[in-house]
Each structure stands twice: as C-alpha cells, then as structure tokens.
Amino acid sequence: MTFKALSGAMVAALLATTALPVSAKEFRVAVGDGAGGTQEALGLAFVEALEAKTGGAHTAKLFLNGQLGDEQDTVSAAATGTLDFSILAINNITPFSPSVGTLTLPYVILSLEDAENITQGEIGRQMVDKTVEDAGVRIIGWAYSGFRVLTNSKHPVTTVADLQDLVIRVPKNEIMIETYKSWGINPTPMAWGETFAALQQKVVDGQDNPYMTVYAMKFDEVQKYVTNIRYIFSIEPLIVSESLFQSLSAEEQQQVLDAGHEATLASGAFLRAEEAKIKSELAARGMEISDPADGEQEFIDLATAKVWPKFYDTIGGKEVLNGVLTALGRSTVE
C-alpha cells in the first residue's frame, strides 16, 4: 500500500487533534492550484465525504500550490504508487492517456452542462477505463473550473490580430499549442509551477486559465487584461493511484468512488455559486474584461478547421470525437 501505518506516537497525536479512530489512515492529495479555487473545493469536498463514508477510518490531507510536484509529475508518482491522490488540469493527464484529450480539443465543450453530461455519463466511464489502462491511475472525480479565459499584461484582445504581438504561456500540451498556432502565434510551453514568476518577470505576456484559477493564483497582481475566450472548458480530474485502489477492500473502493462522486457534484455547485462573484472581484481589483469580437467566430473557425483533424489519430480516431459530439447533441465531423 502507498500509505504507511501510523506509529503509536503518531496515532496518539492524531487522536488528540482530530479524534480519528486508531485505524485511521491519512492519504496525501496533491493539488496544483492555491487556496480558494476549484481544485481546493473539490479536494475539501472529497475529504469530507471520505471521512463520512468510512466513519473516520480514512481521511486525507491536501497539499496546495504544487507542493508535491508539478501536475504531470504527480501522475507519474501516482502511477508508481508513491503518491495517493492528485487533482490536476485535464491537459496534464492527456500525455499519459491520449483519449482524454478529446475534452481538450478547442470548442468541444461549450458549457458546464456539457462538461457534466460527458464526464458523468458513458463517455466519462470509458475515459476512466482507458486512463487506468494507459496511465496506471483511476479518475474518481471531476472538478469543473469554467472556460480558460485569456489574460495578458499588454493590451485588450478581441480579435486574432490582437494576439500577434503577445507571448503566451501554455501547458506542455500539443492540442493547446496547436490551437494558438492556428491563431497565428507560437505559444511558449511552460510548467505550471514556473508560470507566475514568468508573468511577473514579463518573460511571457499572458496565459489562459479559468477565472477560478486566475483568482486562486492571484494573477491579477501580474496581469491586467482578460478576454472571455471559450476554447477550452477546464475540467480537472481527481485521480487515485491504481495500485492503492486495488489494495483496498471492495467496501473501501466503493467508499472512495462514492466520495469522488459526491465531490464531483459539489464542484458543479461551487462553480455555479462562485464564478460570477470571482469575476466581479477581479474586475474590482482592476482587471479589464473584454469579449471576443463577432461572438468569437474567427477564433472558432480557425481552431476547429486546423486543430481537430490533426488529432483524430492521437485521441483514438475521429469516431472518438464523434462519440462525444453525438452525446452532446452536436453535429459530427465527416
């Protein structure tokens, strides 16, 4: 098992502070983002549900701000059994399980309801199975963080032309890189843990992330302008080490799955309750918010025409994308 048994002294200390049973085990949960965002909210909901469902037999501790490593590194750590759980942006699990990348293709997910329908339905179950097979980790919950809006420190962006003088940070994710290339610029791939400093030092001019993350990471301190692009709806899985999961009893496995499901429902409710408030707060702090011109059509046309076909093979075939589009009631691609 990846968690270690508590010694007598540790148990005594834990009982004194948290009143958990002697058999209690505390799992470690890596969290890429800081306090106040969707990842933390999902994690807190999961811990609460896990404690309730196991009668205190299991609990977990969140390690925020990438304390346990870069998000992609936590996938490897969970796969090898040296980390218990991780909450991370979906683009950081795609390199390990490519079919999940379908949900990061630009303009596939167009609303929170789309995200919920896909992740909690048959398509989501298929992605769980593929991720276990491909990456050695199991998705047990999903955080919904909203659209990845574009921020920058130089000027407002409402058209593709406005992007051309900007240096934009993106994750090390080929789909996102190619999306920006479809808009005529070469973005700068960069690890998440390096991003704030790079923005602060103006190594890069901008980045994209949901409002929840912009707020949690205090990007308003280093970014002035926001553009409400909708090219990716940020979905952030909660993963568990498959070796840890298989070491649990059938009852414990179900408790973990049920806690993940409850946390997923709580995440949707959190986004609905908090995103508008956070957007207003960022505006009050001085961020200037713009909408793309012409309903974003220029961005949409370039990205879907140039990016989707490049990744049919990567995600497992055009039929994988069409399965998602069909589940969403959208037109399929020929």
Side-chain angles (χ1 to χ4, degrees):
M1 297 174 74
T2 59
F3 49 81
K4 58 184 179 180
L6 298 172
S7 69
M10 291 174 68
V11 167
L14 193 57
L15 285 171
T17 56
T18 61
L20 292 171
V22 173
S23 61
K25 297 183 175 64
E26 183 176 85
F27 300 116
R28 296 184 306 154
V29 183
V31 183
D33 285 354
T38 308
Q39 289 189 359
E40 183 194 39
L42 177 77
L44 291 173
F46 173 71
V47 173
E48 181 180 0
L50 182 66
E51 290 177 350
K53 291 183 181 302
T54 64
H58 295 302
T59 186
K61 180 179 179 180
L62 306 184
F63 292 83
L64 303 176
N65 283 312
Q67 293 177 64
L68 300 184
D70 182 73
E71 288 191 351
Q72 285 194 17
D73 292 340
T74 67
V75 180
S76 299
T80 58
T82 58
L83 176 66
D84 304 320
F85 296 86
S86 180
I87 303 171
L88 66 161
I90 196 169
N91 50 272
N92 285 320
I93 200 169
T94 298
F96 303 90
S97 188
S99 66
V100 178
T102 310
L103 303 186
T104 69
L105 286 175
Y107 302 105
V108 168
I109 302 296
L110 297 178
S111 67
L112 170 56
E113 291 72 26
D114 281 355
E116 290 173 323
N117 289 341
I118 289 299
T119 56
Q120 296 178 40
E122 180 57 31
I123 298 293
R125 286 187 285 274
Q126 292 172 11
M127 289 183 175
V128 170
D129 292 342
K130 286 294 292 181
T131 303
V132 171
E133 177 184 337
D134 295 340
V137 298
R138 179 180 296 266
I139 299 171
I140 61 166
W142 304 87
Y144 307 113
S145 293
F147 290 109
R148 294 181 71 106
V149 297
L150 175 69
T151 71
N152 83 91
S153 59
K154 293 181 75 171
H155 56 69
V157 172
T158 60
T159 67
V160 170
D162 293 333
L163 282 175
Q164 303 311 306
D165 66 331
L166 298 179
V167 180
I168 303 296
R169 174 269 175 187
V170 295
K172 297 173 183 177
N173 177 274
E174 287 302 316
I175 291 174
M176 300 173 75
I177 291 168
E178 289 300 321
T179 299
Y180 276 94
K181 286 183 177 180
S182 79
W183 296 332
I185 66 170
N186 286 310
T188 301
M190 182 180 292
W192 180 229
E194 302 169 5
T195 301
F196 187 94
L199 294 168
Q200 188 175 45
Q201 297 163 12
K202 299 194 183 301
V203 174
V204 294
D205 301 313
Q207 61 83 53
D208 66 60
N209 260 294
Y211 277 110
M212 311 293 286
T213 303
V214 172
Y215 178 78
M217 299 303 294
K218 300 183 179 180
F219 280 164
D220 56 286
E221 296 178 0
V222 292
Q223 300 277 268
K224 174 70 172 177
Y225 304 98
V226 183
T227 306
N228 290 321
I229 59 173
R230 300 171 296 126
Y231 85 112
I232 289 179
F233 187 97
S234 189
I235 303 171
E236 301 177 286
L238 165 61
I239 61 172
V240 61
S241 165
E242 183 63 9
S243 60
L244 167 61
F245 186 78
Q246 292 301 330
S247 74
L248 301 175
S249 69
E251 180 183 14
E252 289 172 319
Q253 288 180 353
Q254 192 59 52
Q255 289 166 342
V256 167
L257 294 174
D258 289 345
H261 179 65
E262 284 198 12
T264 298
L265 298 180
S267 180
F270 179 80
L271 181 62
R272 288 182 171 93
E274 298 298 323
E275 186 177 47
K277 297 177 188 176
I278 285 174
K279 182 177 178 180
S280 296
E281 174 63 22
L282 291 172
R285 293 182 184 181
M287 297 194 86
E288 296 184 13
I289 300 173
S290 303
D291 290 320
D294 301 321
E296 206 171 340
Q297 199 60 49
E298 181 185 19
F299 291 88
I300 294 170
D301 291 345
L302 288 169
T304 54
K306 294 184 177 182
V307 180
W308 284 11
K310 287 185 178 181
F311 291 94
Y312 291 153
D313 290 343
T314 302
I315 63 173
K318 187 187 300 184
E319 62 274 12
V320 174
L321 173 59
N322 280 338
V324 172
L325 294 173
T326 297
L328 294 173
R330 306 251 303 278
S331 299
T332 58
V333 294
E334 297 295 330

